[in-house]
Amino acid sequence: MMTRSREQGDIIPAFDPGHWLPVVDALVADGHAVLPGFFSTDACTALRAELQALDAAGALQPAAIGRGELRQQRSDIRGDRMTWLQPEWCAGGDYLACLDGLRRVLNEQLFLALAEVEAHYACYPPGAGYRRHVDRHQAGAAGRPGQGERVISTVTYLNEPGWPADGGGELVLHSPSAGEVVVPPEGGTLVVFRSDDLPHEVRQSRRLRYSIAGWMRTRALS
């Protein structure tokens, strides 16, 4: 049901490289970019429908924090359910291909050596949030190399239009230059920011909240 049966780009067309340049400029100036309405209503509807179908099939699991031996489920810290996007999925595959276009532009413009894109669907039920954190994992106690570093983080909201002001679920970026940047979870909004030095949180949601969280990583060290 979820596998691709159409051509790549049917749901989310590939953007011209110039389409991504405002993201590059904002990352250089502020360390983050917030683009309301970046993805069309049709794209959000298809992605949300795929997420909901996966959730109904039991594919979404409670998210965890930490890595390796420190990995654990802590609903008091992070309360979403998630599943990783796969290239063969119709909507999810198009989304990964779209973000890979941004990866290539960032490499060309900023020389970031980004090797791959990963992303997961996320569903925050009422009452769930995610406490303040940064996305790049710390090095292990023994200083062992990890599985490549997260350099760029992305969030795309998939909610239906008209998210209410009292719906909660806002992403809050704690920016050294801009202060507290509050982003309502309006469908179609794309947020891009640095993974290493930008603390952020998801405020407690008061209704079902749908999104995609993604990262662009460097290649794993040997």
Side-chain angles (χ1 to χ4, degrees), residues 14-17 20 95-108 117 216:
F15 292 120
D16 181 272
W20 294 113
Y95 182 84
L96 290 172
C98 180
L99 280 197
D100 197 62
L102 173 58
R103 179 191 65 81
R104 292 193 298 270
V105 170
L106 290 174
N107 281 344
E108 292 168 0
V117 174
M216 299 178 192

Side-chain angles (χ1 to χ4, degrees), residues 59-78:
L60 272 66
Q61 301 297 322
I65 61 171
R67 186 172 62 175
E69 296 178 353
L70 300 178
R71 188 172 178 80
Q72 58 181 317
Q73 289 181 5
R74 288 284 306 273
S75 60
D76 58 318
I77 296 176
R78 179 181 182 182

Side-chain angles (χ1 to χ4, degrees), residues 8-27:
Q8 192 85 32
D10 281 355
I11 295 173
I12 304 176
F15 292 120
D16 181 272
H19 202 77
W20 294 113
L21 293 181
V23 176
V24 177
D25 293 341
L27 284 173

